[in-house]
Amino acid sequence: DGGITQSPKYLFRKEGQNVTLSCEQNLNHDAMYWYRQDPGQGLRLIYYSQIVNDFQKGDIAEGYSVSREKKESFPLTVTSAQKNPTAFYLCASTLNGGSYNEQFFGPGTRLTVL
Amino acid sequence: DQQVKQNSPSLSVQEGRISILNCDYTNSMFDYFLWYKKYPAEGPTFLISISSIKDKNEDGRFTVFLNKSAKHLSLHIVPSQPGDSAVYFCAAGYNNNDMRFGAGTRLTVKP
């Protein structure tokens, strides 16, 4: 079945540690996105990539890093520089970039910093 | 800067009645709008969309209305079913720019 997978579903991290969230899609989509969801707020864009080996910062990129070495994969690293990393993280993809395509979302990863 | 706002965090309706979820936006450049539905522990899934050249789009029990002058859109679900209970997000965008999402409205449909 085609879709987006995120792993792990739950992740715990100690303060000061970097952690990488996985996102894989087999939809042959060009564009991939990382969002963060906090209670009472909409999905906020962290990073996005419209093509392999290229990515752009979203609204809240500080403290995060990404790579896009393969079309299928768009891992997100939450670094120790992120002041408030506890949140629900969603990965999404679209056939190609832009606003006129529906986004397909993964199931999300809930990160808790202890 | 919240360009897309869903001012009602929750809504409760009786099964069989109409559910109306509202969304307001501030950026007049937005010309494409989508609604997503999210169940607990799952990612959002696309529900219905509308472009700014229309004022209504219908898909089965779901209808989205767009009022460009008021910068307002709404999602109507008729008749509502218990399986519709979920969080609904509206999103807006234009050209090749990022989508902007609202905070979501939790709909509960009571049997």
Side-chain angles (χ1 to χ4, degrees), chain A residues 9-10 35 37 40-43 45 48 50 58-59 88 90 97-108, chain B residues 2 31-32 34 36 38 41-46 87 89 92-104:
Chain A
K9 198 174 180 101
Y10 299 95
Y35 293 93
Q37 185 186 8
Q41 297 199 41
L43 306 181
L45 184 65
Y48 65 101
Q50 297 198 357
D59 295 330
F88 187 60
L90 284 163
S99 300
Y100 304 129
N101 301 289
E102 63 176 276
Q103 296 194 358
F104 292 77
F105 285 85
Chain B
Q2 269 198 300
D31 62 3
Y32 196 67
L34 305 91
Y36 288 86
K38 182 182 181 303
E42 295 181 12
T45 54
F46 169 74
V87 176
F89 291 96
Y94 67 99
N95 293 340
N96 209 32
N97 293 278
D98 321 317
M99 298 300 296
R100 289 288 185 263
F101 286 81

Side-chain angles (χ1 to χ4, degrees), chain A residues 29-32 48-56 67-71 74 97:
Chain A
H29 283 177
D30 286 325
M32 297 185 74
Y48 65 101
S49 167
Q50 297 198 357
I51 193 172
V52 174
N53 291 323
D54 187 50
F55 47 82
Q56 285 79 40
S67 63
R68 187 87 187 275
E69 297 176 2
K70 298 186 300 182
K71 189 175 185 177
F74 192 40

Side-chain angles (χ1 to χ4, degrees), chain A residues 71-108:
Chain A
K71 189 175 185 177
E72 306 79 28
S73 179
F74 192 40
L76 173 75
T77 297
V78 185
T79 75
S80 56
Q82 169 48 235
K83 301 299 181 193
N84 186 19
T86 294
F88 187 60
Y89 291 87
L90 284 163
C91 179
S93 71
T94 60
L95 183 60
N96 42 58
S99 300
Y100 304 129
N101 301 289
E102 63 176 276
Q103 296 194 358
F104 292 77
F105 285 85

Side-chain angles (χ1 to χ4, degrees), chain B residues 8-9 18 26-27 31 54 71 83 94 100 103 106-107:
Chain B
S8 297
I18 184 171
T26 56
N27 190 338
D31 62 3
K54 292 186 168 184
K71 294 192 181 70
Y94 67 99
R100 289 288 185 263
R106 181 178 301 280
L107 172 66

